[in-house]
PDB file of all heavy atoms in Angstrom:
ATOM      1  N   ILE A 223      10.939  26.723 -29.340  1.00 96.00           N
ATOM      2  CA  ILE A 223      10.695  27.473 -30.578  1.00 96.00           C
ATOM      3  C   ILE A 223      10.051  28.813 -30.250  1.00 96.00           C
ATOM      4  O   ILE A 223      10.426  29.857 -30.795  1.00 96.00           O
ATOM      5  CB  ILE A 223       9.808  26.658 -31.538  1.00 96.00           C
ATOM      6  CG1 ILE A 223      10.590  25.461 -32.100  1.00 96.00           C
ATOM      7  CG2 ILE A 223       9.298  27.526 -32.684  1.00 96.00           C
ATOM      8  CD1 ILE A 223       9.771  24.547 -32.982  1.00 96.00           C
ATOM      9  N   GLU A 224       9.084  28.799 -29.334  1.00 96.00           N
ATOM     10  CA  GLU A 224       8.402  30.037 -28.943  1.00 96.00           C
ATOM     11  C   GLU A 224       9.383  31.053 -28.367  1.00 96.00           C
ATOM     12  O   GLU A 224       9.323  32.247 -28.684  1.00 96.00           O
ATOM     13  CB  GLU A 224       7.307  29.723 -27.917  1.00 96.00           C
ATOM     14  CG  GLU A 224       6.090  29.035 -28.514  1.00 96.00           C
ATOM     15  CD  GLU A 224       5.083  28.629 -27.454  1.00 96.00           C
ATOM     16  OE1 GLU A 224       5.454  28.610 -26.247  1.00 96.00           O
ATOM     17  OE2 GLU A 224       3.925  28.342 -27.813  1.00 96.00           O
ATOM     18  N   LYS A 225      10.303  30.590 -27.524  1.00 95.00           N
ATOM     19  CA  LYS A 225      11.297  31.492 -26.928  1.00 95.00           C
ATOM     20  C   LYS A 225      12.197  32.094 -27.998  1.00 95.00           C
ATOM     21  O   LYS A 225      12.521  33.283 -27.954  1.00 95.00           O
ATOM     22  CB  LYS A 225      12.131  30.733 -25.900  1.00 95.00           C
ATOM     23  CG  LYS A 225      11.370  30.326 -24.644  1.00 95.00           C
ATOM     24  CD  LYS A 225      12.208  29.417 -23.758  1.00 95.00           C
ATOM     25  CE  LYS A 225      11.405  28.911 -22.570  1.00 95.00           C
ATOM     26  NZ  LYS A 225      12.173  27.933 -21.753  1.00 95.00           N
ATOM     27  N   SER A 226      12.597  31.281 -28.967  1.00 96.00           N
ATOM     28  CA  SER A 226      13.471  31.758 -30.045  1.00 96.00           C
ATOM     29  C   SER A 226      12.748  32.781 -30.920  1.00 96.00           C
ATOM     30  O   SER A 226      13.320  33.814 -31.283  1.00 96.00           O
ATOM     31  CB  SER A 226      13.936  30.583 -30.910  1.00 96.00           C
ATOM     32  OG  SER A 226      14.609  29.620 -30.139  1.00 96.00           O
ATOM     33  N   LEU A 227      11.491  32.509 -31.238  1.00 96.00           N
ATOM     34  CA  LEU A 227      10.709  33.426 -32.056  1.00 96.00           C
ATOM     35  C   LEU A 227      10.480  34.750 -31.333  1.00 96.00           C
ATOM     36  O   LEU A 227      10.553  35.829 -31.945  1.00 96.00           O
ATOM     37  CB  LEU A 227       9.365  32.793 -32.425  1.00 96.00           C
ATOM     38  CG  LEU A 227       9.414  31.604 -33.392  1.00 96.00           C
ATOM     39  CD1 LEU A 227       8.092  30.863 -33.395  1.00 96.00           C
ATOM     40  CD2 LEU A 227       9.756  32.076 -34.804  1.00 96.00           C
ATOM     41  N   ALA A 228      10.210  34.672 -30.033  1.00 95.00           N
ATOM     42  CA  ALA A 228       9.996  35.889 -29.247  1.00 95.00           C
ATOM     43  C   ALA A 228      11.256  36.744 -29.214  1.00 95.00           C
ATOM     44  O   ALA A 228      11.203  37.967 -29.348  1.00 95.00           O
ATOM     45  CB  ALA A 228       9.560  35.527 -27.832  1.00 95.00           C
ATOM     46  N   LEU A 229      12.399  36.101 -29.061  1.00 94.00           N
ATOM     47  CA  LEU A 229      13.672  36.812 -29.017  1.00 94.00           C
ATOM     48  C   LEU A 229      13.982  37.453 -30.371  1.00 94.00           C
ATOM     49  O   LEU A 229      14.618  38.506 -30.438  1.00 94.00           O
ATOM     50  CB  LEU A 229      14.791  35.841 -28.630  1.00 94.00           C
ATOM     51  CG  LEU A 229      16.087  36.427 -28.050  1.00 94.00           C
ATOM     52  CD1 LEU A 229      15.803  37.310 -26.851  1.00 94.00           C
ATOM     53  CD2 LEU A 229      17.039  35.313 -27.671  1.00 94.00           C
ATOM     54  N   ALA A 230      13.515  36.821 -31.450  1.00 94.00           N
ATOM     55  CA  ALA A 230      13.734  37.357 -32.800  1.00 94.00           C
ATOM     56  C   ALA A 230      12.601  38.288 -33.243  1.00 94.00           C
ATOM     57  O   ALA A 230      12.618  38.793 -34.365  1.00 94.00           O
ATOM     58  CB  ALA A 230      13.871  36.211 -33.796  1.00 94.00           C
ATOM     59  N   SER A 231      11.622  38.508 -32.345  1.00 93.00           N
ATOM     60  CA  SER A 231      10.475  39.402 -32.621  1.00 93.00           C
ATOM     61  C   SER A 231       9.675  38.951 -33.840  1.00 93.00           C
ATOM     62  O   SER A 231       9.294  39.755 -34.698  1.00 93.00           O
ATOM     63  CB  SER A 231      10.951  40.847 -32.807  1.00 93.00           C
ATOM     64  OG  SER A 231      11.593  41.318 -31.653  1.00 93.00           O
ATOM     65  N   ILE A 232       9.424  37.650 -33.941  1.00 96.00           N
ATOM     66  CA  ILE A 232       8.610  37.108 -35.031  1.00 96.00           C
ATOM     67  C   ILE A 232       7.278  36.626 -34.469  1.00 96.00           C
ATOM     68  O   ILE A 232       7.244  35.775 -33.572  1.00 96.00           O
ATOM     69  CB  ILE A 232       9.332  35.948 -35.741  1.00 96.00           C
ATOM     70  CG1 ILE A 232      10.606  36.460 -36.426  1.00 96.00           C
ATOM     71  CG2 ILE A 232       8.410  35.280 -36.769  1.00 96.00           C
ATOM     72  CD1 ILE A 232      11.431  35.369 -37.087  1.00 96.00           C
ATOM     73  N   GLN A 233       6.182  37.181 -34.969  1.00 97.00           N
ATOM     74  CA  GLN A 233       4.847  36.780 -34.543  1.00 97.00           C
ATOM     75  C   GLN A 233       4.437  35.483 -35.239  1.00 97.00           C
ATOM     76  O   GLN A 233       4.824  35.238 -36.387  1.00 97.00           O
ATOM     77  CB  GLN A 233       3.833  37.881 -34.863  1.00 97.00           C
ATOM     78  CG  GLN A 233       4.108  39.210 -34.172  1.00 97.00           C
ATOM     79  CD  GLN A 233       3.996  39.102 -32.663  1.00 97.00           C
ATOM     80  OE1 GLN A 233       3.079  38.448 -32.146  1.00 97.00           O
ATOM     81  NE2 GLN A 233       4.917  39.732 -31.953  1.00 97.00           N
ATOM     82  N   VAL A 234       3.659  34.661 -34.547  1.00 97.00           N
ATOM     83  CA  VAL A 234       3.234  33.363 -35.087  1.00 97.00           C
ATOM     84  C   VAL A 234       1.814  33.456 -35.628  1.00 97.00           C
ATOM     85  O   VAL A 234       0.888  33.828 -34.906  1.00 97.00           O
ATOM     86  CB  VAL A 234       3.309  32.269 -34.004  1.00 97.00           C
ATOM     87  CG1 VAL A 234       2.833  30.935 -34.562  1.00 97.00           C
ATOM     88  CG2 VAL A 234       4.731  32.153 -33.463  1.00 97.00           C
ATOM     89  N   ALA A 235       1.660  33.124 -36.913  1.00 97.00           N
ATOM     90  CA  ALA A 235       0.316  33.049 -37.498  1.00 97.00           C
ATOM     91  C   ALA A 235      -0.382  31.797 -36.996  1.00 97.00           C
ATOM     92  O   ALA A 235      -1.549  31.823 -36.610  1.00 97.00           O
ATOM     93  CB  ALA A 235       0.397  33.046 -39.017  1.00 97.00           C
ATOM     94  N   ASP A 236       0.364  30.690 -36.978  1.00 97.00           N
ATOM     95  CA  ASP A 236      -0.162  29.425 -36.453  1.00 97.00           C
ATOM     96  C   ASP A 236       0.965  28.395 -36.446  1.00 97.00           C
ATOM     97  O   ASP A 236       1.945  28.529 -37.190  1.00 97.00           O
ATOM     98  CB  ASP A 236      -1.313  28.903 -37.310  1.00 97.00           C
ATOM     99  CG  ASP A 236      -2.159  27.857 -36.592  1.00 97.00           C
ATOM    100  OD1 ASP A 236      -1.905  27.620 -35.381  1.00 97.00           O
ATOM    101  OD2 ASP A 236      -3.061  27.284 -37.224  1.00 97.00           O
ATOM    102  N   TYR A 237       0.821  27.395 -35.586  1.00 97.00           N
ATOM    103  CA  TYR A 237       1.747  26.257 -35.589  1.00 97.00           C
ATOM    104  C   TYR A 237       1.115  25.133 -36.410  1.00 97.00           C
ATOM    105  O   TYR A 237      -0.067  24.834 -36.256  1.00 97.00           O
ATOM    106  CB  TYR A 237       2.017  25.777 -34.165  1.00 97.00           C
ATOM    107  CG  TYR A 237       2.874  26.730 -33.370  1.00 97.00           C
ATOM    108  CD1 TYR A 237       2.304  27.618 -32.476  1.00 97.00           C
ATOM    109  CD2 TYR A 237       4.263  26.736 -33.516  1.00 97.00           C
ATOM    110  CE1 TYR A 237       3.089  28.498 -31.739  1.00 97.00           C
ATOM    111  CE2 TYR A 237       5.053  27.614 -32.789  1.00 97.00           C
ATOM    112  CZ  TYR A 237       4.461  28.492 -31.903  1.00 97.00           C
ATOM    113  OH  TYR A 237       5.250  29.363 -31.189  1.00 97.00           O
ATOM    114  N   ILE A 238       1.916  24.519 -37.275  1.00 98.00           N
ATOM    115  CA  ILE A 238       1.432  23.459 -38.158  1.00 98.00           C
ATOM    116  C   ILE A 238       2.240  22.189 -37.909  1.00 98.00           C
ATOM    117  O   ILE A 238       3.476  22.240 -37.851  1.00 98.00           O
ATOM    118  CB  ILE A 238       1.572  23.869 -39.640  1.00 98.00           C
ATOM    119  CG1 ILE A 238       0.758  25.135 -39.920  1.00 98.00           C
ATOM    120  CG2 ILE A 238       1.136  22.738 -40.560  1.00 98.00           C
ATOM    121  CD1 ILE A 238       0.995  25.713 -41.313  1.00 98.00           C
ATOM    122  N   ILE A 239       1.564  21.059 -37.736  1.00 98.00           N
ATOM    123  CA  ILE A 239       2.258  19.780 -37.612  1.00 98.00           C
ATOM    124  C   ILE A 239       2.832  19.442 -38.980  1.00 98.00           C
ATOM    125  O   ILE A 239       2.104  19.105 -39.916  1.00 98.00           O
ATOM    126  CB  ILE A 239       1.310  18.653 -37.139  1.00 98.00           C
ATOM    127  CG1 ILE A 239       0.557  19.081 -35.870  1.00 98.00           C
ATOM    128  CG2 ILE A 239       2.100  17.362 -36.886  1.00 98.00           C
ATOM    129  CD1 ILE A 239       1.438  19.379 -34.693  1.00 98.00           C
TER     130      ILE A 239
END
Side-chain angles (χ1 to χ4, degrees):
I223 290 176
E224 287 175 344
K225 291 172 185 175
S226 302
L227 291 166
L229 201 55
S231 300
I232 295 177
Q233 299 296 318
V234 179
D236 198 6
Y237 288 99
I238 300 172
I239 308 299

